[in-house]
Amino acid sequence: MTLMQSEEKAPAKLAKVPQHVAIIMDGNGRWAKQRGLPRTEGHRHGVENLRRVLRACVQEGVKVLTIYAFSTENWARPRYEVDALMRLLEVFLGRELDELDKEGVQIRHIGETSGVPPRLQKKINDATTRTRHNDSLILNVAFNYGGRKEIVEAVKHIIREGIPADNVTEELISRYMYTGDLPDPDLIIRTSGELRVSNFLIWQGSYSEYYVTPTLWPDFDQNEFHKALETYVLRKRRFGMTDEQLEAEQK
Ligand code: IPE
Ligand code: IPE
Ligand code: MG
């Protein structure tokens, strides 16, 4: 079975599909602990699950998927776990690249490369270069990513280019983020029940809808993903307006 073929029947069509979905893939460690397995096994199953969710995105018509795979804070974890997470991304890129490319997935990396082992950096580079003209789905891999770090880097970049203070606008700052040319996420999903942002897309997520589920990431399947999108359809995105204004706009 290829990556994009589903073993399940296609889910019911939604009235409104978020263009950009971002996911904090949390709970791998707890998933493993519940089974008496090492945390790294949880991460391995987490990567497997990514295949399912990618497939779901293509089926549902999501155009951009951003996944939080490794935060700038995750360096604090035990060395063996950090190494395992690096290796897993390397294996994922090695194993899935042909398939992802064939299916038209454009792979991007958001985050810092410094500190990332050179071999993995090369794999990331190869994957992003090879898939850069694909357009069925943009897969943004947030790896060695931190929202505050991203803002710091954007500010430095703006200053280095000598942009006058009066020209600094919200739109300009958005363009200097790693996600410069992409729409802000419409929906941010966090698995495993934690009610926090953990330094993820803190600029871009200022008006995103949040969906938190107790389901642990390795168990977050196609049905769970569809449920999250169904919830999104019911959300009223007011962007500061009143209900009445919103209704008038939609007419
Ligand atoms: C998410 O699962 C994966 C990463 C942060 C890399 P965790 O490893 O955080 O799992 P829990 O939160 O300990 O269950
Ligand atoms: C956020 O999860 C980072 C990723 C999913 C990669 P964490 O598990 O690291 O978040 P905290 O530390 O519980 O906030
Ligand atoms: Mg966690």
Side-chain angles (χ1 to χ4, degrees):
M1 192 177 69
T2 69
L3 175 66
M4 298 307 169
Q5 285 172 337
S6 173
E7 70 264 52
E8 294 163 43
K9 63 178 181 11
K13 269 267 168 288
L14 295 163
K16 173 175 81 172
V17 178
Q19 264 202 333
H20 182 174
V21 176
I23 309 183
I24 303 175
M25 310 184 292
D26 200 11
N28 294 347
R30 277 162 280 176
W31 186 92
K33 195 170 177 195
Q34 284 173 0
R35 288 163 179 76
L37 298 169
R39 293 178 59 84
T40 47
E41 270 304 290
H43 296 316
R44 206 170 59 75
H45 281 85
V47 173
E48 280 304 313
N49 192 48
L50 184 55
R51 291 163 57 88
R52 297 200 280 182
V53 171
L54 273 169
R55 207 183 295 141
C57 279
V58 172
Q59 281 200 345
E60 302 273 8
V62 170
K63 296 310 285 177
V64 184
L65 174 70
T66 300
I67 49 163
Y68 206 6
F70 190 86
S71 74
T72 47
E73 288 69 35
N74 288 145
W75 290 106
R77 294 195 179 194
R79 180 67 197 269
Y80 77 91
E81 186 172 341
V82 170
D83 288 348
L85 287 164
M86 304 276 156
R87 221 169 27 248
L88 277 169
L89 179 60
E90 208 183 307
V91 169
F92 175 79
L93 290 175
R95 204 183 51 193
E96 307 291 342
L97 186 58
D98 284 349
E99 182 74 25
L100 290 168
D101 188 28
K102 203 167 80 205
E103 300 295 342
V105 177
Q106 183 187 128
I107 302 170
R108 295 189 186 187
H109 169 235
I110 61 170
E112 295 298 304
T113 43
S114 62
V116 174
R119 239 186 36 202
L120 176 54
Q121 274 187 40
K122 187 177 176 313
K123 274 257 160 39
I124 294 172
N125 264 335
D126 292 348
T128 53
T129 308
R130 178 164 153 199
T131 63
R132 70 187 182 282
H133 298 303
N134 291 347
D135 63 2
S136 72
L137 172 77
I138 294 177
L139 172 65
N140 250 334
V141 183
F143 193 87
N144 196 14
Y145 172 89
R148 286 191 167 187
K149 177 79 176 151
E150 179 178 30
I151 294 171
V152 168
E153 290 306 313
V155 171
K156 282 187 184 167
H157 199 164
I158 289 167
I159 293 171
R160 276 197 207 109
E161 290 196 354
I163 293 173
D166 286 344
N167 292 1
V168 178
T169 59
E170 292 184 14
E171 289 68 30
L172 181 114
I173 294 179
S174 291
R175 282 205 302 279
Y176 279 77
M177 293 288 149
Y178 303 132
T179 50
D181 60 334
L182 297 176
D184 286 339
D186 301 294
L187 175 66
I188 299 183
I189 298 171
R190 182 163 192 156
T191 58
S192 92
E194 252 35 274
L195 295 176
R196 56 176 172 264
V197 179
S198 302
N199 207 9
F200 187 49
L201 303 178
I202 54 177
W203 175 270
Q204 299 89 332
S206 68
Y207 251 109
S208 303
E209 294 294 327
Y210 270 85
Y211 177 86
V212 177
T213 170
T215 304
L216 306 175
W217 172 250
D219 293 329
F220 187 81
D221 61 13
Q222 197 150 4
N223 284 329
E224 294 269 345
F225 186 73
H226 188 69
K227 249 193 320 198
L229 298 196
E230 277 179 338
T231 306
Y232 173 80
V233 175
L234 302 175
R235 299 280 178 89
K236 262 191 196 159
R237 304 188 74 185
R238 290 196 188 79
F239 296 105
M241 290 182 284
T242 65
D243 274 346
E244 290 71 25
Q245 286 174 305
L246 205 63
E247 274 158 31
E249 263 217 346
Q250 281 161 357
K251 274 192 190 130

